[in-house]
Amino acid sequence: MWVVAPALPRWAEAAYAAENDENVPVAQSALEYTCGRRRETRVSRRTSGAGRWRRRTARVGLVGVALAGLVAGLVVGGPPADASAKASAAAGGRKTFTGEIDGAEYRVELPARWNGTLVLYSHGYFLAEWVPEGVQVANRVETEQWLVEHGYAVAASKFKNDGVGYGVQDGVTDQVALLDWFEEHVGEPRRTVSSGMSQGGLIAALLAERNPKRFDGVAAMCAEYDTHATWNSGLDITFVVRTLLAPGEDIELVRAGEDAAAGRDALAAAIDRALETPEGRARLALAGAVANIPGWYAAHEPKPTATGELVAAQALWTKWAYSYGIGPVGRTELEARAGGNPSWNTGVDYGRLLARSSRRDLVRDAYAAAPGGDLDAGLKRLAKAPRIGPDAKAVAYQYRHGIVRGTTPAPVVTLHSTGDGGAVTDQERWYADQIRRHGNSVSLRQLWVDRGGHCSFSSADELVMLRTLLDRIDDGQWPSTTPTRLNASVSAMGAAYQKVLDLGTGADLPLEPAYTDFTPPRMLRPSR
């Protein structure tokens, strides 16, 4: 696997070894790291429920919560000492348990006749401006309803701090604590599936890797498995935007502190201005290409074909996912957790990055359509621009908590939209490579739906994926996963399970089944 810049500088290896007193490379040791510590548990009784979103601000939050798609944690053992729960019963004997463990709200749904399977769901990245009410136990409420009606127990923690931000370490810890609670107060499952979407897809995979005897399968949707690469690529995008579209403006991309919101808004304004001219659109295409961002944003619309439309769609990802979602404000939250800035572009040659990009043809077409565009001049300006270095402690933090190993102690099924620019499809190819190196490729099955948008799945898509995994767990071999068979299974679920949420518009509309074959591009800046 080629790498544009050094995947891990020597100082980062030294920083990790010094912090952990280990003489092994970060790329290996950080992913095998576990830490035991004493846990004190507080439980409060709260009414919880899935459903409406709590609105704190407008469009920024809606898109941001959808797009960060990001990212692994510490494993602590033993059931909560003082755990208790508020239980309620619904018609038909279904029971709901809600409560709080170590400051993390949780919800458990238990059917009247439990079949012994527990699906433990990990949610995605939440912006502080937009947090869902209650605790979600599936990607869609119809999925929750179907699972419980068919005998499956479902459970989820919201994680500490209302699940806001880069809470991967909290997510792994809080989900293990909830599993401990479930086994003590409900019963030990016959089989446990770790599922999750976006950042929660990473948490789902890490839970199984770090607790191999407690999980029987993993279902990861629109996941990112190397989030250090995601944040480095996010820095590349905003670096290009600042250098080529906002020259001379005082925009802090990292360690922004109180200036983070102003920097975020300045980046967004530069993107909006650039869309008004052919030259600006060409530079936006370059900004997206250095991270393999696709030109397909809308879940409910066909993939664009014209150059201008492709660039405009790509620019929506650049604005909402990478300037708002994990731009300066998102980085401030991550930096507070990590003890500094984990991202860098020292040593990165953006000309080489473009040459390897799956979007390079779009860049050439956009510059060809811009009379005043000069790609070589833009690349030279990027080469001369001062680079950004990381903090060693923060790099070690992300290697420890934000990257899977790929050991596959249990079968794994993944589901991804082909046009996802919030969690790029490169992540799936990288994950498959890691499993070939460290796990068992036979244990992995990767599925695709041909749609734009982030996590643009129907409940039927989600359930067909889960049933594929359960068949593998039961039979010891994968069932047929041809697009024809999968789409027939989706159709058979019925009209009530076909709606797909477009996270950019908030529209929730029925769509035709869209499982497909797909080969993702290689990741441009993998962490290993």
Side-chain angles (χ1 to χ4, degrees):
M1 179 182 294
W2 66 271
V3 182
V4 173
L8 185 65
R10 292 182 182 274
W11 52 260
E13 294 186 8
Y16 180 81
E19 181 177 340
N20 297 280
D21 193 26
E22 297 180 23
N23 295 314
V24 289
V26 172
Q28 176 178 352
S29 64
L31 292 164
E32 296 175 342
Y33 173 83
T34 59
C35 176
R37 69 181 184 193
R38 177 174 174 265
R39 178 175 64 238
E40 296 179 355
T41 303
R42 295 183 301 105
V43 179
S44 67
R45 299 190 174 193
R46 295 184 178 179
T47 301
S48 173
R52 298 180 310 164
W53 293 86
R54 181 168 66 247
R55 183 170 186 174
R56 296 181 181 174
T57 61
R59 181 177 170 83
V60 173
L62 175 60
V63 180
V65 72
L67 299 183
L70 311 167
V71 326
L74 304 178
V75 178
V76 293
D82 303 317
S84 63
K86 177 180 179 180
S88 60
R94 171 175 173 171
K95 293 181 180 179
T96 298
F97 301 88
T98 60
E100 191 175 283
I101 302 172
D102 259 354
E105 190 177 355
Y106 69 86
R107 180 162 65 98
V108 175
E109 299 292 337
L110 187 69
R113 294 185 178 182
W114 181 33
N115 63 16
T117 298
L118 170 66
V119 179
L120 184 67
Y121 174 79
S122 298
H123 68 73
Y125 185 103
F126 294 159
L127 288 181
E129 296 87 355
W130 201 277
V131 179
E133 287 189 348
V135 183
Q136 298 168 294
V137 294
N139 194 40
R140 292 191 60 95
V141 67
E142 300 97 330
T143 303
E144 171 192 336
Q145 293 168 348
W146 189 96
L147 288 171
V148 176
E149 288 171 1
H150 288 78
Y152 297 89
V154 292
S157 171
K158 197 171 187 176
F159 315 153
K160 297 178 185 67
N161 190 37
D162 239 5
V164 170
Y166 191 87
V168 182
Q169 179 181 0
D170 288 340
V172 174
T173 302
D174 295 338
Q175 292 286 61
V176 170
L178 179 56
L179 182 56
D180 292 340
W181 180 93
F182 187 96
E183 291 179 352
E184 180 179 351
H185 293 85
V186 178
E188 185 171 347
R190 179 171 59 89
R191 56 186 182 180
T192 301
V193 171
S194 178
S195 76
M197 60 87 76
S198 195
Q199 178 172 279
L202 169 67
I203 294 171
L206 286 166
L207 283 167
E209 285 191 354
R210 298 181 177 188
N211 303 271
K213 295 182 179 180
R214 303 191 70 178
F215 292 94
D216 302 281
V218 176
M221 296 170 281
C222 48
E224 291 186 313
Y225 312 94
D226 179 358
T227 57
H228 187 57
T230 296
W231 290 80
N232 269 337
S233 291
L235 176 62
D236 291 332
I237 292 171
T238 55
F239 182 81
V240 174
V241 170
R242 184 181 70 177
T243 303
L244 300 185
L245 300 176
E249 293 190 38
D250 185 16
I251 302 174
E252 296 292 342
L253 301 181
V254 302
R255 310 180 188 94
E258 295 180 353
D259 297 326
R264 173 200 65 196
D265 294 343
L267 289 169
I271 293 166
D272 289 342
R273 290 195 304 269
L275 284 168
E276 297 175 359
T277 68
E279 293 75 19
R281 291 191 289 272
R283 291 164 186 153
L284 281 172
L286 176 57
V290 299
N292 272 345
I293 305 303
W296 194 2
Y297 187 77
H300 297 158
E301 297 177 9
K303 182 179 179 179
T305 55
T307 298
E309 294 174 347
L310 287 164
V311 174
Q314 189 186 55
L316 288 171
W317 290 117
T318 299
K319 178 177 179 179
W320 295 111
Y322 298 99
S323 298
Y324 276 98
I326 62 169
V329 174
R331 286 185 178 278
T332 299
E333 195 274 342
L334 169 60
E335 289 164 2
R337 292 178 184 268
N341 165 45
S343 303
W344 74 85
N345 67 349
T346 50
V348 174
D349 182 331
Y350 287 102
R352 288 185 63 197
L353 217 60
L354 176 61
R356 301 284 188 175
S357 173
S358 63
R359 315 299 171 188
R360 60 187 177 274
D361 290 343
L362 178 60
V363 175
R364 295 192 181 104
D365 291 344
Y367 271 91
D374 188 334
L375 177 57
D376 289 339
L379 291 172
K380 289 177 181 177
R381 190 190 302 179
L382 289 170
K384 293 179 180 179
R387 293 301 197 256
I388 295 169
D391 299 308
K393 180 180 179 181
V395 173
Y397 176 91
Q398 265 204 326
Y399 267 87
R400 186 180 305 117
H401 301 302
I403 309 173
V404 299
R405 178 70 172 160
T407 53
T408 57
V412 179
V413 64
T414 70
L415 179 60
H416 221 103
S417 304
T418 59
D420 195 335
V424 291
T425 58
D426 316 17
Q427 291 277 341
E428 298 290 356
R429 182 163 180 164
W430 178 87
Y431 185 41
D433 287 342
Q434 300 309 302
I435 288 177
R436 276 191 288 272
R437 295 178 183 182
H438 305 293
N440 180 2
S441 294
V442 176
S443 297
L444 175 68
R445 188 57 53 97
Q446 295 183 300
L447 308 178
W448 305 92
V449 294
D450 194 26
R451 296 192 187 105
H454 181 51
C455 304
S456 50
F457 313 126
S458 68
S459 179
D461 295 330
E462 186 178 3
L463 288 166
V464 167
M465 174 200 65
L466 283 170
R467 289 161 66 182
T468 298
L469 175 64
L470 292 169
D471 284 348
R472 169 62 175 82
I473 295 170
D474 289 340
D475 301 337
Q477 60 185 9
W478 292 104
S480 171
T481 54
T482 65
T484 299
R485 179 187 178 278
L486 295 172
N487 286 327
S489 297
V490 169
S491 295
M493 292 294 301
Y497 298 93
Q498 307 300 330
K499 287 186 177 180
V500 174
L501 177 65
D502 187 315
L503 289 160
T505 65
D508 196 25
L509 302 174
L511 294 181
E512 293 296 317
Y515 272 100
T516 190
D517 291 321
F518 182 72
T519 301
R522 291 191 180 276
M523 188 182 291
L524 295 178
R525 289 188 64 192
S527 296
R528 65 164 184 266

